[in-house]
Amino acid sequence: MIGIHSVHRRLAELTEKAERLGGYERLSILEQKDIAHCLKLNAQVVRRIDELKQLSFIAYQANDAEWQHELCNQLDALEANLS
């Protein structure tokens, strides 16, 4: 199953509405602020996933199975919340 983070779902909703209205500038100020907020949260989620994957690779290269397992658990928990 592919998870969709709530931030991604909200961005999709706002994008579809903007397309129906004829552009993002036609969204309300509140909706435009919501897009900016969602983009910021999206960047944080992506940054954290990338960080955990990079650290996991470093742990693998260092042959530190315990650290790698801990990082993979954190990544699994984060990805489990993508719904």
Side-chain angles (χ1 to χ4, degrees):
M1 180 175 112
I2 297 175
I4 307 257
H5 194 279
S6 58
V7 167
H8 301 137
R9 188 171 311 283
R10 181 65 177 145
L11 284 170
E13 290 169 357
L14 291 169
T15 297
E16 289 175 358
K17 182 174 183 179
E19 288 174 356
R20 283 193 309 275
L21 294 175
Y24 289 97
E25 67 280 355
R26 300 210 174 186
L27 294 173
S28 71
I29 296 297
L30 183 60
E31 289 168 327
Q32 291 177 29
K33 287 180 180 182
D34 201 14
I35 287 175
H37 176 72
C38 287
L39 288 172
K40 181 179 177 182
L41 290 176
N42 177 68
Q44 291 172 353
V45 168
V46 169
R47 185 172 36 250
R48 184 63 179 148
I49 289 172
D50 286 348
E51 177 184 79
L52 289 171
K53 286 182 177 183
Q54 290 171 4
L55 287 172
S56 178
F57 183 68
I58 291 169
Y60 168 78
Q61 288 182 317
N63 202 27
D64 189 334
E66 183 177 335
W67 183 32
Q68 185 181 17
H69 182 71
E70 177 186 324
L71 292 165
C72 287
N73 284 340
Q74 290 179 43
L75 185 58
D76 288 344
L78 183 60
E79 290 178 342
N81 290 325
L82 298 178
S83 56

